[in-house]
Each structure stands twice: as C-alpha cells, then as structure tokens.
Amino acid sequence: MQLQSNTVFCFVFYIILQFKNSAASNLRCEDLLMGQFYCKDPVIDTETQAEINCDPEKKTTPTECVVAEGITCIPQNSNTLYTFNGTEVGFYKEAPCRWTNGYKFETALLLSVFLGMFGVDRFYLGYPAIGLLKFSTLGFFFLGQLIDILLIALQVVKPSDGSEYIMNYFGVGLIHIQANNDTYIKPDESWNMS
C-alpha cells in the first residue's frame, strides 16, 4: 500500500513539473511578475525637464525593462526562448510622461500678471477667443485677470494643444493625483469595519 501511494505521489509530482516547464516555455517577458524585472527611468531632456520621446497622443514613453538573472522568457519582438543574465533588456514598457510643446510656465504667468487685462496670456496659450474677449473688456473688468493669474499659477489652465508647461529645473511642477479602481486605500483602525 505504501509503495502504491509513493508511486501516485511521484506521478503527480512529475505531471506538475511537466506543466510548469511547458508554461514557462511559453512565457513572454512582458508577462513577468514584479520582482522578476525592473524598468529603467526614462531619459529626461535638460531643456524642458520632460521625458524624451513622449507620445503626444497617449502621453507615454517607452522605457527599457531589464529581466532578472536566471529568468527564462520570450523577449519582445522575438519568438525564441532566452535566459537572461540580469543586464539585458527584455522588453519595453510604456511609462507616463509629460509632453511639452514650447510653452513656458514663467512666461505664461508673467504675461498674465502684467498684460492679462489685454488677454495676452490667453493669446500666448492658444485661446484667441478668450484673449479677444479679455482685450475688449479689460480682462473682464480686471476680475478675469485675477482669476486667470490663479488658474495659471495653479496650472489648471494649460496650453490649448494639450501639452504641459516647460518648467525650470527647480520649478513648481504640479502633479494631479487621481484615484481609480487600482488605487489602494489603507484602512484606518478608527473606521471599525466589522
């Protein structure tokens, strides 16, 4: 009886090993789990403080991902299995980026402060209709100028082409954080969720 149960156990173990090996032979590098690869930081342009090769439509840039040593998978743009040594790029992953198109934050803010009553700030950012309206009403009787100063300073109003402002190296870039279905909220003990 003991011999029969050992035989069944060995057979089941053999089947599991075969399944694991066949699954690993079809594993693409893009499907690896966290910890089995790391992605390098995107290259930053020193003039604009934004990522190089940023796609203006998707607002993403390709980043190199290095597969950990000893991991065997199928690299991107290939169909053959390969074992990595820990220094080779296995695939490229899309990372979020800031797309800039030549509009400087300091210029927009200074134009809004000093010439906002004439709508020059809105002309600069690509909003000619609002700029003309501000020009003809002296910045909506200076109230629109004050509102525009706040909106530009808080980076709510951005260039009309959808790009981001070019910031100085020590500039005040704001990142709007949004919660979605992938956001994890750490429960607090005071919530009493029993």
Side-chain angles (χ1 to χ4, degrees), residues 14-58:
Y14 174 77
I15 295 294
I16 290 172
L17 273 176
Q18 290 299 321
F19 179 74
K20 182 181 174 190
N21 289 339
S22 68
S25 66
N26 295 328
L27 180 65
R28 299 208 55 87
C29 292
E30 300 91 42
D31 299 331
L32 290 174
L33 301 175
M34 285 303 253
Q36 295 178 327
F37 68 93
Y38 72 91
C39 294
K40 297 178 180 178
D41 291 331
V43 180
I44 304 294
D45 183 6
T46 57
E47 295 295 319
T48 63
Q49 297 304 313
E51 295 81 2
I52 295 176
N53 296 329
C54 185
D55 183 7
E57 298 296 322
K58 297 188 292 183

mmCIF file of all heavy atoms in Angstrom, residues 14-58:
data_model
loop_
_atom_site.group_PDB
_atom_site.id
_atom_site.type_symbol
_atom_site.label_atom_id
_atom_site.label_comp_id
_atom_site.label_asym_id
_atom_site.label_seq_id
_atom_site.Cartn_x
_atom_site.Cartn_y
_atom_site.Cartn_z
ATOM 1 N N TYR A 14 5.548 14.540 -11.062
ATOM 2 C CA TYR A 14 6.079 14.579 -12.430
ATOM 3 C C TYR A 14 5.148 15.381 -13.349
ATOM 4 O O TYR A 14 5.593 16.192 -14.144
ATOM 5 C CB TYR A 14 6.266 13.148 -12.956
ATOM 6 C CG TYR A 14 6.670 13.093 -14.402
ATOM 7 C CD1 TYR A 14 7.979 13.377 -14.783
ATOM 8 C CD2 TYR A 14 5.746 12.763 -15.393
ATOM 9 C CE1 TYR A 14 8.350 13.332 -16.115
ATOM 10 C CE2 TYR A 14 6.111 12.715 -16.716
ATOM 11 C CZ TYR A 14 7.412 13.002 -17.079
ATOM 12 O OH TYR A 14 7.783 12.967 -18.393
ATOM 13 N N ILE A 15 3.843 15.176 -13.224
ATOM 14 C CA ILE A 15 2.866 15.902 -14.051
ATOM 15 C C ILE A 15 2.938 17.401 -13.747
ATOM 16 O O ILE A 15 2.909 18.240 -14.662
ATOM 17 C CB ILE A 15 1.433 15.361 -13.811
ATOM 18 C CG1 ILE A 15 1.323 13.924 -14.266
ATOM 19 C CG2 ILE A 15 0.392 16.242 -14.490
ATOM 20 C CD1 ILE A 15 1.481 13.737 -15.750
ATOM 21 N N ILE A 16 3.043 17.757 -12.464
ATOM 22 C CA ILE A 16 3.133 19.176 -12.083
ATOM 23 C C ILE A 16 4.397 19.795 -12.659
ATOM 24 O O ILE A 16 4.373 20.919 -13.181
ATOM 25 C CB ILE A 16 3.076 19.326 -10.545
ATOM 26 C CG1 ILE A 16 1.679 18.986 -10.049
ATOM 27 C CG2 ILE A 16 3.472 20.730 -10.111
ATOM 28 C CD1 ILE A 16 1.548 18.922 -8.545
ATOM 29 N N LEU A 17 5.519 19.088 -12.584
ATOM 30 C CA LEU A 17 6.767 19.608 -13.145
ATOM 31 C C LEU A 17 6.660 19.796 -14.657
ATOM 32 O O LEU A 17 7.129 20.801 -15.199
ATOM 33 C CB LEU A 17 7.925 18.662 -12.827
ATOM 34 C CG LEU A 17 8.631 18.891 -11.500
ATOM 35 C CD1 LEU A 17 9.688 17.828 -11.280
ATOM 36 C CD2 LEU A 17 9.253 20.256 -11.467
ATOM 37 N N GLN A 18 6.045 18.853 -15.338
ATOM 38 C CA GLN A 18 5.883 18.970 -16.785
ATOM 39 C C GLN A 18 5.001 20.164 -17.149
ATOM 40 O O GLN A 18 5.294 20.907 -18.091
ATOM 41 C CB GLN A 18 5.291 17.680 -17.372
ATOM 42 C CG GLN A 18 6.231 16.513 -17.358
ATOM 43 C CD GLN A 18 7.484 16.780 -18.174
ATOM 44 O OE1 GLN A 18 7.439 17.385 -19.227
ATOM 45 N NE2 GLN A 18 8.620 16.347 -17.650
ATOM 46 N N PHE A 19 3.939 20.373 -16.371
ATOM 47 C CA PHE A 19 3.044 21.511 -16.622
ATOM 48 C C PHE A 19 3.787 22.825 -16.383
ATOM 49 O O PHE A 19 3.655 23.766 -17.148
ATOM 50 C CB PHE A 19 1.812 21.407 -15.724
ATOM 51 C CG PHE A 19 0.871 22.558 -15.903
ATOM 52 C CD1 PHE A 19 0.081 22.657 -17.037
ATOM 53 C CD2 PHE A 19 0.797 23.552 -14.946
ATOM 54 C CE1 PHE A 19 -0.782 23.714 -17.211
ATOM 55 C CE2 PHE A 19 -0.059 24.626 -15.118
ATOM 56 C CZ PHE A 19 -0.849 24.700 -16.252
ATOM 57 N N LYS A 20 4.569 22.870 -15.316
ATOM 58 C CA LYS A 20 5.325 24.082 -15.008
ATOM 59 C C LYS A 20 6.332 24.386 -16.115
ATOM 60 O O LYS A 20 6.477 25.520 -16.547
ATOM 61 C CB LYS A 20 6.042 23.922 -13.663
ATOM 62 C CG LYS A 20 6.814 25.137 -13.249
ATOM 63 C CD LYS A 20 7.527 24.911 -11.936
ATOM 64 C CE LYS A 20 8.397 26.101 -11.647
ATOM 65 N NZ LYS A 20 9.286 25.874 -10.530
ATOM 66 N N ASN A 21 7.037 23.379 -16.598
ATOM 67 C CA ASN A 21 8.024 23.596 -17.654
ATOM 68 C C ASN A 21 7.367 24.021 -18.965
ATOM 69 O O ASN A 21 7.893 24.853 -19.680
ATOM 70 C CB ASN A 21 8.862 22.328 -17.875
ATOM 71 C CG ASN A 21 9.812 22.078 -16.727
ATOM 72 O OD1 ASN A 21 10.134 22.997 -15.986
ATOM 73 N ND2 ASN A 21 10.239 20.835 -16.576
ATOM 74 N N SER A 22 6.199 23.446 -19.288
ATOM 75 C CA SER A 22 5.536 23.845 -20.531
ATOM 76 C C SER A 22 4.988 25.257 -20.419
ATOM 77 O O SER A 22 4.986 26.008 -21.384
ATOM 78 C CB SER A 22 4.421 22.866 -20.879
ATOM 79 O OG SER A 22 3.366 22.972 -19.946
ATOM 80 N N ALA A 23 4.520 25.665 -19.224
ATOM 81 C CA ALA A 23 4.025 27.034 -19.040
ATOM 82 C C ALA A 23 5.174 28.029 -19.133
ATOM 83 O O ALA A 23 5.032 29.113 -19.688
ATOM 84 C CB ALA A 23 3.312 27.157 -17.695
ATOM 85 N N ALA A 24 6.338 27.675 -18.576
ATOM 86 C CA ALA A 24 7.490 28.577 -18.622
ATOM 87 C C ALA A 24 8.024 28.715 -20.034
ATOM 88 O O ALA A 24 8.575 29.740 -20.401
ATOM 89 C CB ALA A 24 8.587 28.067 -17.691
ATOM 90 N N SER A 25 7.850 27.689 -20.856
ATOM 91 C CA SER A 25 8.383 27.765 -22.205
ATOM 92 C C SER A 25 7.564 28.705 -23.086
ATOM 93 O O SER A 25 8.034 29.118 -24.130
ATOM 94 C CB SER A 25 8.450 26.372 -22.829
ATOM 95 O OG SER A 25 7.144 25.874 -23.009
ATOM 96 N N ASN A 26 6.350 29.046 -22.686
ATOM 97 C CA ASN A 26 5.517 29.954 -23.455
ATOM 98 C C ASN A 26 5.415 31.335 -22.810
ATOM 99 O O ASN A 26 4.632 32.166 -23.260
ATOM 100 C CB ASN A 26 4.104 29.377 -23.607
ATOM 101 C CG ASN A 26 4.114 28.105 -24.421
ATOM 102 O OD1 ASN A 26 4.928 27.949 -25.315
ATOM 103 N ND2 ASN A 26 3.224 27.194 -24.090
ATOM 104 N N LEU A 27 6.164 31.593 -21.757
ATOM 105 C CA LEU A 27 6.060 32.843 -21.011
ATOM 106 C C LEU A 27 6.753 33.978 -21.758
ATOM 107 O O LEU A 27 7.940 33.895 -22.076
ATOM 108 C CB LEU A 27 6.690 32.680 -19.620
ATOM 109 C CG LEU A 27 6.652 33.907 -18.726
ATOM 110 C CD1 LEU A 27 5.209 34.256 -18.378
ATOM 111 C CD2 LEU A 27 7.453 33.659 -17.471
ATOM 112 N N ARG A 28 6.008 35.017 -22.050
ATOM 113 C CA ARG A 28 6.583 36.210 -22.680
ATOM 114 C C ARG A 28 7.138 37.107 -21.591
ATOM 115 O O ARG A 28 6.609 37.159 -20.484
ATOM 116 C CB ARG A 28 5.530 36.934 -23.512
ATOM 117 C CG ARG A 28 4.976 36.052 -24.635
ATOM 118 C CD ARG A 28 4.505 36.815 -25.819
ATOM 119 N NE ARG A 28 5.450 37.705 -26.425
ATOM 120 C CZ ARG A 28 6.339 37.379 -27.355
ATOM 121 N NH1 ARG A 28 6.425 36.133 -27.750
ATOM 122 N NH2 ARG A 28 7.135 38.273 -27.883
ATOM 123 N N CYS A 29 8.196 37.832 -21.896
ATOM 124 C CA CYS A 29 8.836 38.685 -20.901
ATOM 125 C C CYS A 29 7.903 39.788 -20.410
ATOM 126 O O CYS A 29 8.007 40.225 -19.268
ATOM 127 C CB CYS A 29 10.112 39.296 -21.478
ATOM 128 S SG CYS A 29 11.413 38.092 -21.763
ATOM 129 N N GLU A 30 6.956 40.241 -21.253
ATOM 130 C CA GLU A 30 6.023 41.286 -20.841
ATOM 131 C C GLU A 30 5.080 40.802 -19.744
ATOM 132 O O GLU A 30 4.476 41.611 -19.049
ATOM 133 C CB GLU A 30 5.180 41.770 -22.026
ATOM 134 C CG GLU A 30 5.969 42.359 -23.165
ATOM 135 C CD GLU A 30 6.347 41.316 -24.205
ATOM 136 O OE1 GLU A 30 5.524 40.459 -24.567
ATOM 137 O OE2 GLU A 30 7.495 41.371 -24.659
ATOM 138 N N ASP A 31 4.930 39.467 -19.597
ATOM 139 C CA ASP A 31 4.004 38.905 -18.618
ATOM 140 C C ASP A 31 4.679 38.527 -17.303
ATOM 141 O O ASP A 31 4.051 37.881 -16.462
ATOM 142 C CB ASP A 31 3.314 37.678 -19.208
ATOM 143 C CG ASP A 31 2.504 38.013 -20.446
ATOM 144 O OD1 ASP A 31 2.014 39.157 -20.540
ATOM 145 O OD2 ASP A 31 2.372 37.143 -21.329
ATOM 146 N N LEU A 32 5.943 38.905 -17.125
ATOM 147 C CA LEU A 32 6.644 38.579 -15.877
ATOM 148 C C LEU A 32 6.018 39.319 -14.702
ATOM 149 O O LEU A 32 5.400 40.376 -14.857
ATOM 150 C CB LEU A 32 8.118 38.966 -15.986
ATOM 151 C CG LEU A 32 8.964 38.129 -16.937
ATOM 152 C CD1 LEU A 32 10.363 38.720 -17.046
ATOM 153 C CD2 LEU A 32 9.036 36.690 -16.467
ATOM 154 N N LEU A 33 6.205 38.766 -13.510
ATOM 155 C CA LEU A 33 5.693 39.380 -12.291
ATOM 156 C C LEU A 33 6.679 40.420 -11.769
ATOM 157 O O LEU A 33 7.870 40.389 -12.098
ATOM 158 C CB LEU A 33 5.465 38.301 -11.228
ATOM 159 C CG LEU A 33 4.489 37.186 -11.608
ATOM 160 C CD1 LEU A 33 4.461 36.125 -10.524
ATOM 161 C CD2 LEU A 33 3.111 37.755 -11.839
ATOM 162 N N MET A 34 6.173 41.347 -10.953
ATOM 163 C CA MET A 34 7.055 42.338 -10.339
ATOM 164 C C MET A 34 8.128 41.610 -9.531
ATOM 165 O O MET A 34 7.847 40.620 -8.863
ATOM 166 C CB MET A 34 6.261 43.262 -9.408
ATOM 167 C CG MET A 34 5.437 44.268 -10.152
ATOM 168 S SD MET A 34 6.441 45.256 -11.223
ATOM 169 C CE MET A 34 6.443 46.769 -10.373
ATOM 170 N N GLY A 35 9.335 42.100 -9.587
ATOM 171 C CA GLY A 35 10.456 41.455 -8.923
ATOM 172 C C GLY A 35 11.267 40.596 -9.874
ATOM 173 O O GLY A 35 12.409 40.287 -9.599
ATOM 174 N N GLN A 36 10.669 40.214 -10.990
ATOM 175 C CA GLN A 36 11.387 39.435 -11.995
ATOM 176 C C GLN A 36 11.996 40.343 -13.059
ATOM 177 O O GLN A 36 12.698 39.878 -13.933
ATOM 178 C CB GLN A 36 10.447 38.416 -12.642
ATOM 179 C CG GLN A 36 9.965 37.363 -11.675
ATOM 180 C CD GLN A 36 9.004 36.388 -12.326
ATOM 181 O OE1 GLN A 36 8.240 36.741 -13.218
ATOM 182 N NE2 GLN A 36 9.040 35.142 -11.866
ATOM 183 N N PHE A 37 11.711 41.641 -12.973
ATOM 184 C CA PHE A 37 12.285 42.617 -13.891
ATOM 185 C C PHE A 37 12.260 43.985 -13.212
ATOM 186 O O PHE A 37 11.585 44.170 -12.198
ATOM 187 C CB PHE A 37 11.496 42.675 -15.209
ATOM 188 C CG PHE A 37 10.115 43.237 -15.069
ATOM 189 C CD1 PHE A 37 9.877 44.596 -15.270
ATOM 190 C CD2 PHE A 37 9.042 42.429 -14.727
ATOM 191 C CE1 PHE A 37 8.609 45.120 -15.133
ATOM 192 C CE2 PHE A 37 7.774 42.943 -14.593
ATOM 193 C CZ PHE A 37 7.553 44.296 -14.803
ATOM 194 N N TYR A 38 13.024 44.910 -13.746
ATOM 195 C CA TYR A 38 12.904 46.306 -13.318
ATOM 196 C C TYR A 38 13.023 47.182 -14.559
ATOM 197 O O TYR A 38 13.721 46.846 -15.507
ATOM 198 C CB TYR A 38 13.948 46.683 -12.266
ATOM 199 C CG TYR A 38 15.354 46.814 -12.778
ATOM 200 C CD1 TYR A 38 15.847 48.040 -13.220
ATOM 201 C CD2 TYR A 38 16.205 45.722 -12.825
ATOM 202 C CE1 TYR A 38 17.137 48.163 -13.697
ATOM 203 C CE2 TYR A 38 17.493 45.829 -13.302
ATOM 204 C CZ TYR A 38 17.951 47.058 -13.729
ATOM 205 O OH TYR A 38 19.227 47.175 -14.211
ATOM 206 N N CYS A 39 12.301 48.275 -14.540
ATOM 207 C CA CYS A 39 12.310 49.198 -15.671
ATOM 208 C C CYS A 39 13.147 50.419 -15.308
ATOM 209 O O CYS A 39 13.025 50.959 -14.210
ATOM 210 C CB CYS A 39 10.893 49.621 -16.039
ATOM 211 S SG CYS A 39 9.908 48.251 -16.662
ATOM 212 N N LYS A 40 13.991 50.819 -16.238
ATOM 213 C CA LYS A 40 14.841 51.984 -16.020
ATOM 214 C C LYS A 40 13.998 53.254 -16.093
ATOM 215 O O LYS A 40 12.923 53.269 -16.690
ATOM 216 C CB LYS A 40 15.943 52.034 -17.077
ATOM 217 C CG LYS A 40 16.884 50.855 -17.025
ATOM 218 C CD LYS A 40 17.920 50.951 -18.117
ATOM 219 C CE LYS A 40 18.868 49.764 -18.083
ATOM 220 N NZ LYS A 40 19.853 49.818 -19.167
ATOM 221 N N ASP A 41 14.500 54.325 -15.491
ATOM 222 C CA ASP A 41 13.818 55.605 -15.568
ATOM 223 C C ASP A 41 13.943 56.162 -16.978
ATOM 224 O O ASP A 41 14.970 55.984 -17.637
ATOM 225 C CB ASP A 41 14.427 56.603 -14.577
ATOM 226 C CG ASP A 41 14.127 56.234 -13.137
ATOM 227 O OD1 ASP A 41 13.089 55.610 -12.895
ATOM 228 O OD2 ASP A 41 14.946 56.574 -12.258
ATOM 229 N N PRO A 42 12.912 56.860 -17.457
ATOM 230 C CA PRO A 42 13.018 57.463 -18.789
ATOM 231 C C PRO A 42 14.085 58.551 -18.811
ATOM 232 O O PRO A 42 14.390 59.161 -17.785
ATOM 233 C CB PRO A 42 11.637 58.063 -19.040
ATOM 234 C CG PRO A 42 10.773 57.651 -17.917
ATOM 235 C CD PRO A 42 11.616 57.064 -16.856
ATOM 236 N N VAL A 43 14.632 58.804 -19.997
ATOM 237 C CA VAL A 43 15.649 59.840 -20.155
ATOM 238 C C VAL A 43 14.951 61.195 -20.153
ATOM 239 O O VAL A 43 13.955 61.401 -20.843
ATOM 240 C CB VAL A 43 16.436 59.632 -21.471
ATOM 241 C CG1 VAL A 43 17.483 60.695 -21.638
ATOM 242 C CG2 VAL A 43 17.056 58.243 -21.498
ATOM 243 N N ILE A 44 15.488 62.138 -19.360
ATOM 244 C CA ILE A 44 14.887 63.459 -19.201
ATOM 245 C C ILE A 44 15.662 64.476 -20.038
ATOM 246 O O ILE A 44 16.888 64.512 -20.012
ATOM 247 C CB ILE A 44 14.897 63.886 -17.718
ATOM 248 C CG1 ILE A 44 14.195 62.860 -16.844
ATOM 249 C CG2 ILE A 44 14.288 65.266 -17.543
ATOM 250 C CD1 ILE A 44 12.723 62.721 -17.084
ATOM 251 N N ASP A 45 14.929 65.312 -20.772
ATOM 252 C CA ASP A 45 15.517 66.408 -21.535
ATOM 253 C C ASP A 45 15.837 67.536 -20.565
ATOM 254 O O ASP A 45 14.961 68.008 -19.832
ATOM 255 C CB ASP A 45 14.538 66.879 -22.610
ATOM 256 C CG ASP A 45 15.114 67.966 -23.495
ATOM 257 O OD1 ASP A 45 16.309 68.283 -23.368
ATOM 258 O OD2 ASP A 45 14.355 68.501 -24.321
ATOM 259 N N THR A 46 17.093 67.995 -20.548
ATOM 260 C CA THR A 46 17.500 69.030 -19.586
ATOM 261 C C THR A 46 16.905 70.393 -19.903
ATOM 262 O O THR A 46 16.797 71.232 -19.017
ATOM 263 C CB THR A 46 19.036 69.145 -19.538
ATOM 264 O OG1 THR A 46 19.518 69.415 -20.855
ATOM 265 C CG2 THR A 46 19.650 67.864 -19.021
ATOM 266 N N GLU A 47 16.509 70.626 -21.135
ATOM 267 C CA GLU A 47 15.928 71.922 -21.503
ATOM 268 C C GLU A 47 14.475 72.048 -21.047
ATOM 269 O O GLU A 47 14.049 73.105 -20.608
ATOM 270 C CB GLU A 47 16.009 72.133 -23.019
ATOM 271 C CG GLU A 47 17.416 72.242 -23.554
ATOM 272 C CD GLU A 47 18.138 73.471 -23.032
ATOM 273 O OE1 GLU A 47 17.510 74.545 -22.944
ATOM 274 O OE2 GLU A 47 19.333 73.343 -22.701
ATOM 275 N N THR A 48 13.707 70.983 -21.178
ATOM 276 C CA THR A 48 12.278 71.047 -20.878
ATOM 277 C C THR A 48 11.892 70.355 -19.579
ATOM 278 O O THR A 48 10.752 70.483 -19.131
ATOM 279 C CB THR A 48 11.468 70.415 -22.018
ATOM 280 O OG1 THR A 48 11.805 69.031 -22.107
ATOM 281 C CG2 THR A 48 11.734 71.104 -23.336
ATOM 282 N N GLN A 49 12.791 69.598 -18.972
ATOM 283 C CA GLN A 49 12.516 68.802 -17.776
ATOM 284 C C GLN A 49 11.377 67.812 -18.022
ATOM 285 O O GLN A 49 10.597 67.499 -17.124
ATOM 286 C CB GLN A 49 12.208 69.698 -16.573
ATOM 287 C CG GLN A 49 13.350 70.593 -16.162
ATOM 288 C CD GLN A 49 14.611 69.819 -15.872
ATOM 289 O OE1 GLN A 49 14.576 68.813 -15.175
ATOM 290 N NE2 GLN A 49 15.722 70.261 -16.391
ATOM 291 N N ALA A 50 11.259 67.346 -19.248
ATOM 292 C CA ALA A 50 10.245 66.353 -19.607
ATOM 293 C C ALA A 50 10.943 65.149 -20.237
ATOM 294 O O ALA A 50 12.090 65.231 -20.671
ATOM 295 C CB ALA A 50 9.239 66.954 -20.588
ATOM 296 N N GLU A 51 10.239 64.043 -20.287
ATOM 297 C CA GLU A 51 10.801 62.810 -20.829
ATOM 298 C C GLU A 51 10.982 62.926 -22.348
ATOM 299 O O GLU A 51 10.161 63.521 -23.039
ATOM 300 C CB GLU A 51 9.878 61.632 -20.511
ATOM 301 C CG GLU A 51 9.744 61.333 -19.038
ATOM 302 C CD GLU A 51 8.752 62.225 -18.307
ATOM 303 O OE1 GLU A 51 8.116 63.063 -18.934
ATOM 304 O OE2 GLU A 51 8.632 62.071 -17.091
ATOM 305 N N ILE A 52 12.064 62.327 -22.842
ATOM 306 C CA ILE A 52 12.331 62.308 -24.286
ATOM 307 C C ILE A 52 11.459 61.231 -24.928
ATOM 308 O O ILE A 52 11.156 60.209 -24.314
ATOM 309 C CB ILE A 52 13.836 62.052 -24.537
ATOM 310 C CG1 ILE A 52 14.657 63.218 -24.007
ATOM 311 C CG2 ILE A 52 14.122 61.828 -26.005
ATOM 312 C CD1 ILE A 52 16.147 63.035 -24.118
ATOM 313 N N ASN A 53 11.051 61.436 -26.178
ATOM 314 C CA ASN A 53 10.223 60.506 -26.963
ATOM 315 C C ASN A 53 8.836 60.319 -26.371
ATOM 316 O O ASN A 53 8.262 59.225 -26.438
ATOM 317 C CB ASN A 53 10.895 59.139 -27.118
ATOM 318 C CG ASN A 53 12.180 59.215 -27.891
ATOM 319 O OD1 ASN A 53 12.330 60.055 -28.773
ATOM 320 N ND2 ASN A 53 13.115 58.341 -27.570
ATOM 321 N N CYS A 54 8.281 61.365 -25.803
ATOM 322 C CA CYS A 54 6.928 61.288 -25.253
ATOM 323 C C CYS A 54 5.910 61.371 -26.394
ATOM 324 O O CYS A 54 5.974 62.265 -27.229
ATOM 325 C CB CYS A 54 6.706 62.422 -24.259
ATOM 326 S SG CYS A 54 5.123 62.328 -23.426
ATOM 327 N N ASP A 55 5.006 60.423 -26.440
ATOM 328 C CA ASP A 55 3.958 60.401 -27.468
ATOM 329 C C ASP A 55 2.872 61.401 -27.065
ATOM 330 O O ASP A 55 2.270 61.265 -26.002
ATOM 331 C CB ASP A 55 3.375 58.993 -27.570
ATOM 332 C CG ASP A 55 2.324 58.863 -28.654
ATOM 333 O OD1 ASP A 55 2.130 59.818 -29.423
ATOM 334 O OD2 ASP A 55 1.706 57.791 -28.736
ATOM 335 N N PRO A 56 2.593 62.413 -27.913
ATOM 336 C CA PRO A 56 1.607 63.425 -27.530
ATOM 337 C C PRO A 56 0.175 62.889 -27.431
ATOM 338 O O PRO A 56 -0.631 63.449 -26.709
ATOM 339 C CB PRO A 56 1.711 64.477 -28.632
ATOM 340 C CG PRO A 56 2.464 63.870 -29.737
ATOM 341 C CD PRO A 56 3.228 62.717 -29.196
ATOM 342 N N GLU A 57 -0.141 61.816 -28.117
ATOM 343 C CA GLU A 57 -1.498 61.272 -28.063
ATOM 344 C C GLU A 57 -1.730 60.453 -26.794
ATOM 345 O O GLU A 57 -2.695 60.668 -26.077
ATOM 346 C CB GLU A 57 -1.763 60.394 -29.292
ATOM 347 C CG GLU A 57 -1.686 61.121 -30.611
ATOM 348 C CD GLU A 57 -2.757 62.181 -30.747
ATOM 349 O OE1 GLU A 57 -3.888 61.954 -30.291
ATOM 350 O OE2 GLU A 57 -2.451 63.247 -31.302
ATOM 351 N N LYS A 58 -0.831 59.509 -26.521
ATOM 352 C CA LYS A 58 -1.000 58.612 -25.380
ATOM 353 C C LYS A 58 -0.351 59.145 -24.102
ATOM 354 O O LYS A 58 -0.621 58.631 -23.028
ATOM 355 C CB LYS A 58 -0.416 57.238 -25.699
ATOM 356 C CG LYS A 58 -1.093 56.534 -26.844
ATOM 357 C CD LYS A 58 -0.613 55.110 -27.012
ATOM 358 C CE LYS A 58 0.817 55.069 -27.480
ATOM 359 N NZ LYS A 58 1.323 53.728 -27.741
#
